[in-house]
Amino acid sequence: PDVIKAFADGWRYGTGIDDTSINIDAFSAIVEEANALDVPVLTHVVSVDLGKRAAKANVSAIVHAIQDRDSDKELVAQLKEHNTIYAPTLAVYEPRDDKLEGQDNQEILDRIWKRQKHSKYDLKTVAKNGVKIALGTDSGIASTPLGESTLRELELLVEFGLSPKEALMAGTANSAAALRLSDDRGTIESGKRA
């Protein structure tokens, strides 16, 4: 594989009993084995506590927004110390018609906007503290069509607090770094792919 994505914490967003999340020993072993083959490990993490665990395990990137609560100083310090890149995949969390059909729409919307409020705070906080931001979308599922979702993600990165330049860096150089492809792409330089 070119990359490994470890699904680390399920969809609980910090609620419910945490008896299925990956423990630090297993997480670290996955990263260690992947690193021996120069394969980056990205992880699905959506909670502050498991974001800290992912950073301690030395994953290359967290590829979803932290949404259970606002990030704390310890999470930011862990991300910086371990050079963990943060790709919040904001577009995948936007309300979709197929999620709302036949449901109590207000309850669902309230949940979505509460999580997005944390997403916005956390993106601004980690970016302002020097954590690299990459662009991710969960492309290919119903709410994030290939190509179109990347453009929407760029818009959302700016709406959530990045400058246009920072958003472009997220989609180019920083995304290449998360995938360990910086030698070949991500910036316009002699000898790199355009």
Side-chain angles (χ1 to χ4, degrees):
D2 296 318
V3 65
I4 293 171
K5 184 177 180 185
F7 191 90
D9 71 355
W11 295 97
R12 289 180 306 280
Y13 298 94
T15 63
I17 298 169
D18 185 8
D19 59 0
T20 59
S21 293
I22 192 168
N23 67 41
I24 189 65
D25 296 327
F27 218 159
S28 298
I30 291 168
V31 173
E32 186 177 322
E33 290 298 319
N35 281 340
L37 299 170
D38 196 30
V39 175
V41 177
L42 315 176
T43 188
H44 172 107
V45 167
V46 295
S47 67
V48 171
D49 292 338
L50 288 165
K52 294 172 189 177
R53 187 178 300 171
K56 288 178 188 173
N58 287 311
V59 299
S60 297
I62 291 174
V63 292
H64 290 296
I66 301 293
Q67 294 188 316
D68 66 325
R69 64 182 193 266
D70 289 350
S71 59
D72 56 28
K73 290 179 183 178
E74 182 184 0
L75 174 61
V76 174
Q78 289 291 336
L79 294 172
K80 286 186 66 165
E81 178 183 342
H82 296 279
N83 297 313
T84 306
I85 297 171
Y86 187 71
T89 65
L90 303 168
V92 77
Y93 294 111
E94 288 195 298
R96 299 188 332 245
D97 289 341
D98 66 323
K99 279 188 177 180
L100 300 174
E101 287 177 14
Q103 305 284 330
D104 176 355
N105 294 349
Q106 194 55 54
E107 181 183 332
I108 292 171
L109 287 170
D110 289 348
R111 251 192 337 259
I112 290 169
W113 294 125
K114 180 180 178 187
R115 290 196 300 244
Q116 286 292 61
K117 181 180 170 200
H118 295 304
S119 298
K120 186 174 190 174
Y121 176 88
D122 294 334
L123 174 62
K124 287 166 125 176
T125 300
V126 300
K128 137 180 122 178
N129 283 286
V131 174
K132 279 186 182 175
I133 308 300
L135 187 146
T137 64
D138 255 7
S139 285
I141 61 175
S143 64
T144 53
L146 295 168
E148 182 182 318
S149 60
T150 300
L151 299 176
R152 180 63 183 142
E153 189 73 15
L154 284 168
E155 292 173 340
L156 288 169
L157 288 172
V158 173
E159 286 177 28
F160 277 48
L162 297 187
S163 70
K165 179 181 177 180
E166 289 169 327
L168 288 172
M169 292 293 294
T172 55
N174 295 350
S175 289
L179 298 172
R180 297 187 187 162
L181 296 172
S182 297
D183 289 344
D184 182 46
R185 63 197 82 182
T187 56
I188 299 171
E189 296 179 63
S190 180
K192 287 190 177 184
R193 294 161 55 133

